[in-house]
Amino acid sequence: MIYAVWIPLLVPFVVVPAARRLADALAPARAARLLAVTGAGLALCTVLALTLLVVPGAGRLPAVAAAGAFVHPLVAAAPATAVPLAAAAALLIAGCAAAVARAVRGHWAQLHRDGRPGRADRGELAVLRDSRPDAYALPGRPGSPGRIVVTTGMLQALEPLEREALLAHERAHLTGRHHLYLAAAELSARCHPALRALRAPLGYALERCADEAAAHAVGDRRIAARAIGRAALAARAAGEPPAPRPAVALAASAGPVPRRVAALLGRPAARPRVGRAAAATLLICLAVSGAAALDATYDLHSSIEIAQGENP
């Protein structure tokens, strides 16, 4: 177990280069799903590996040995390293749990906050009287479709078809529940520092999903690209920054806008081989991490049986 248990802790560092290539080389929806699943899976394997490091050291404590009916010390527990290693792993698990709890509370509070922009409006669209150009999708409570918030300054900066594309972009964020993908990535990052690198490619993939939905809604990729570019330029050209957005908001002008516009216009060459290779790398890393965690779990279970005198 002592070797297999380290694999889930090291694999996330291997995933990062492949994840950065995946967002550009694979279809946006597939890339977003794969990045979210990979991050969540590797985070779970990380927590399991840390838990497996805690058990051998804890088994050397008299109270734990008595509760587990150990008649022999755990085979996997070397006295010189087991207890300090278990203590360090326990501290890491506690830190992860606290960080995840804070993130969940913060996300939940944002979704349930009463003083949301445009709360006097009851429809899907809330228009704020503000000369500063801004637009974003604001997810609602569970079971609620959420709202699209746009300022009068943003509406004045765009032409009618561009406005339609912008609203379709934000609507795609709401219907696709993209904030849940980002929440999953945020929670995964709290469990392993290397998984923080998945948030940027995942955010880009989600923006690309909404871009494609906007292009489909207006029937013209050039209009969608122009709407996104002009919205971003209008927001940056404003003399003062827009009002602070809620943390769960998703904005059309976020992320690497030039890359998104170029993708809509079809400028990047298709790279199916790179996409398949990156996707395969992520899936292999996830499978290896899960298999190593299961192997370490089986070894620990065998060690516990030996310590209980059931399997000489």
Side-chain angles (χ1 to χ4, degrees), residues 104-153:
V104 170
R105 284 198 303 268
H107 188 77
W108 191 260
Q110 284 285 347
L111 292 180
H112 287 74
R113 184 162 296 174
D114 292 331
R116 293 182 295 174
R119 61 182 181 279
D121 301 324
R122 298 300 178 187
E124 176 196 45
L125 179 64
V127 179
L128 303 182
R129 292 187 177 277
D130 192 335
S131 61
R132 297 170 295 186
D134 198 15
Y136 54 87
L138 187 63
R141 300 177 177 90
S144 171
R147 322 187 72 187
I148 299 172
V149 180
V150 61
T151 66
T152 53

Side-chain angles (χ1 to χ4, degrees), residues 72 302 305-312:
H72 307 290
S302 300
E305 288 186 335
I306 293 174
Q308 292 173 335
E310 297 179 5
N311 187 14

Side-chain angles (χ1 to χ4, degrees), residues 173-189:
H173 281 317
L174 296 177
T175 57
R177 310 299 286 176
H178 290 171
H179 69 287
L180 296 180
Y181 287 82
L182 295 176
E186 184 66 26
L187 296 181
S188 300

Side-chain angles (χ1 to χ4, degrees), residues 52-308:
L52 294 174
L53 287 173
V54 170
V55 175
R60 301 193 67 83
L61 299 176
V64 176
F70 296 162
V71 296
H72 307 290
L74 281 175
V75 174
T81 59
V83 175
L85 189 60
L91 288 175
L92 289 174
I93 292 175
C96 290
V100 168
R102 285 196 301 269
V104 170
R105 284 198 303 268
H107 188 77
W108 191 260
Q110 284 285 347
L111 292 180
H112 287 74
R113 184 162 296 174
D114 292 331
R116 293 182 295 174
R119 61 182 181 279
D121 301 324
R122 298 300 178 187
E124 176 196 45
L125 179 64
V127 179
L128 303 182
R129 292 187 177 277
D130 192 335
S131 61
R132 297 170 295 186
D134 198 15
Y136 54 87
L138 187 63
R141 300 177 177 90
S144 171
R147 322 187 72 187
I148 299 172
V149 180
V150 61
T151 66
T152 53
M154 180 63 79
L155 294 177
Q156 292 171 0
L158 303 179
E159 298 177 358
L161 283 178
E162 294 171 350
R163 296 174 196 164
E164 183 180 346
L166 180 71
L167 296 180
H169 175 103
E170 304 300 353
R171 189 176 297 113
H173 281 317
L174 296 177
T175 57
R177 310 299 286 176
H178 290 171
H179 69 287
L180 296 180
Y181 287 82
L182 295 176
E186 184 66 26
L187 296 181
S188 300
R190 303 301 175 96
C191 297
H192 196 294
L195 297 179
R196 297 174 187 171
L198 298 186
R199 291 182 294 190
L202 176 59
Y204 173 73
L206 293 174
E207 291 300 330
R208 285 283 300 114
C209 287
D211 292 344
E212 293 295 330
H216 178 75
V218 298
D220 192 325
R221 300 178 68 85
R222 296 185 64 86
I223 291 177
R226 191 166 66 243
I228 293 165
R230 291 186 66 178
L233 289 174
R236 294 174 184 175
E240 50 183 332
R245 302 169 184 151
V248 294
L250 297 99
S253 57
V257 174
R259 282 172 58 196
R260 291 167 50 201
V261 170
L264 276 172
L265 296 177
R267 292 176 186 169
R271 295 181 292 173
R273 292 184 179 179
V274 175
R276 287 195 295 267
T281 300
L282 263 64
L283 292 174
I284 290 172
C285 287
L286 184 57
V288 168
S289 183
L294 291 177
D295 181 61
T297 302
Y298 176 79
D299 286 349
L300 179 60
H301 181 264
S302 300
S303 298
I304 291 175
E305 288 186 335
I306 293 174
Q308 292 173 335

